[in-house]
Amino acid sequence: MAENCTHDCSTCKSSCAQRKIEKVPLRDGSKVKKVIAVMSGKGGVGKSLVSSLLTAKMQKRGFNSAIIDADLIGASVPTCFGVQGESIMGDDKGIMIPVRTKSGIQILSLNFMLENETDPVALRAAMVTGYLINFWKDAVWEDVDFMFIDMPPGTGDIPLTTLQSIPVDGIIIVSTPQDLVRVIVEKSVKFARLMNVPILGIVENMSYIKCPDCGKEIPVFGKSHVEKIALEYGIPLLARIPISPEISEKIDAGKVEEIESDFLNPVADTIAASLN
């Protein structure tokens, strides 16, 4: 925040995070009812997994779902859905056509624009955020009930651009059980509150592994600290995702839509309620 801030952004030349920026509109004919950002204060916690599972979950519930892979440098959402190498450019210049999955989910990712999915994306921050805005405003999004944005880790250019420029209705924070979780959650919570975007809840990934013989839940990373922190901040802990060979195999095979994710029912219920 600038020194001596008056909170009147129209007279301010500062580029601080609280500066109000006009939201970027969708192109004519596109329709998106609700936008949910999935984020975390650090990498490696499973944001793409949670984003993909939630998108598939809401589609199964009868909602039209879409997902923007905003982790443009490390895009992985297309792999989860098994839709690599598709063309996204429409016949008219500047129009993008989201790729459709088997169940009809609409997806946009920078990976679709690469000759090979393993090619590095060597772009400056301004170009990366430019692609993100183009995915939002230049695509033909067809009657989307819930759009999920799979964010990159941290609170840098892309998360900042997303929350300032796209009308995000709520945030799901992804974490893991370790004690380090306090840093992860607190960074995300403070960032969301700075940007005045409501937090719908927290999802803990890699919570436990279930013994195949006795069914006992084993906390591989030790006792979880997430619930305590969630209570401190008044944010619901909506779900715990287990470490599962089946989930890993389905993701690697591009079959996230086939995963039975009953553990995400409370998250889906919360998201569905936000539509009313």
Side-chain angles (χ1 to χ4, degrees):
M1 185 185 297
E3 187 177 359
N4 301 321
C5 178
T6 64
H7 301 285
D8 179 8
C9 295
S10 64
T11 64
C12 180
K13 295 181 180 180
S14 174
S15 59
C16 67
Q18 288 187 334
R19 179 175 173 80
K20 296 177 183 178
I21 297 177
E22 186 175 349
K23 302 298 183 183
V24 176
L26 292 166
R27 68 176 300 107
D28 290 341
S30 288
K31 183 179 180 181
V32 177
K33 293 179 182 177
K34 292 287 184 178
V35 180
I36 309 296
V38 179
M39 66 175 296
S40 176
K42 75 179 293 292
V45 299
K47 292 180 301 298
S48 295
L49 170 67
V50 173
S51 300
S52 299
L53 285 172
L54 285 175
T55 306
K57 185 79 171 178
M58 300 311 291
Q59 187 79 3
K60 288 178 181 178
R61 287 195 173 196
F63 297 101
N64 291 326
S65 297
I67 183 168
I68 289 179
D69 192 349
D71 191 356
L72 289 96
I73 302 300
S76 59
V77 168
T79 302
C80 297
F81 287 91
V83 286
Q84 297 285 8
E86 303 284 349
S87 172
I88 63 172
M89 304 308 296
D91 294 333
D92 296 330
K93 186 177 180 180
I95 293 181
M96 295 183 180
I97 308 299
V99 173
R100 294 271 187 169
T101 70
K102 291 179 180 179
S103 67
I105 292 169
Q106 301 171 61
I107 302 179
L108 275 184
S109 172
L110 193 59
N111 263 22
F112 296 143
M113 304 175 73
L114 303 177
E115 184 174 350
N116 300 296
E117 64 181 63
T118 56
D119 289 346
V121 177
L123 297 174
R124 298 289 186 184
M127 293 187 68
V128 173
T129 53
Y131 274 114
L132 172 63
I133 296 302
N134 289 341
F135 285 169
W136 168 255
K137 71 181 181 69
D138 293 333
V140 180
W141 297 107
E142 297 184 8
D143 196 25
V144 175
D145 293 311
F146 292 106
M147 171 179 283
F148 294 88
I149 301 183
D150 177 33
M151 304 269 262
T155 54
D157 281 328
I158 295 179
L160 189 60
T161 297
T162 299
L163 298 191
Q164 286 184 325
S165 303
I166 296 175
V168 176
D169 297 284
I171 290 173
I172 296 292
I173 295 175
V174 182
S175 188
T176 51
Q178 300 98 315
D179 190 40
L180 181 64
V181 72
R182 177 171 294 277
V183 175
I184 300 171
V185 174
E186 288 192 7
K187 280 181 179 291
S188 301
V189 170
K190 291 177 180 178
F191 181 66
R193 290 179 175 174
L194 179 68
M195 304 304 298
N196 295 314
V197 180
I199 301 170
L200 300 180
I202 300 174
V203 173
E204 183 184 77
N205 189 29
M206 297 181 275
S207 293
Y208 59 88
I209 189 168
K210 185 171 288 188
C211 176
D213 297 321
C214 67
K216 180 180 178 180
E217 295 181 1
I218 304 169
V220 178
F221 294 109
K223 183 180 178 181
S224 174
H225 299 266
V226 175
E227 190 168 6
K228 179 182 177 182
I229 298 169
L231 286 171
E232 287 179 11
Y233 281 94
I235 302 168
L237 174 59
L238 295 176
R240 287 188 167 99
I241 301 177
I243 299 172
S244 167
E246 181 184 359
I247 292 177
S248 298
E249 290 169 5
K250 292 286 188 183
I251 292 293
D252 289 345
K255 297 179 179 179
V256 67
E257 291 160 293
E258 297 180 9
I259 296 174
E260 294 298 328
S261 54
D262 291 344
F263 45 78
L264 288 178
N265 282 340
V267 192
D269 292 342
T270 299
I271 293 171
S274 72
L275 195 59
N276 300 324

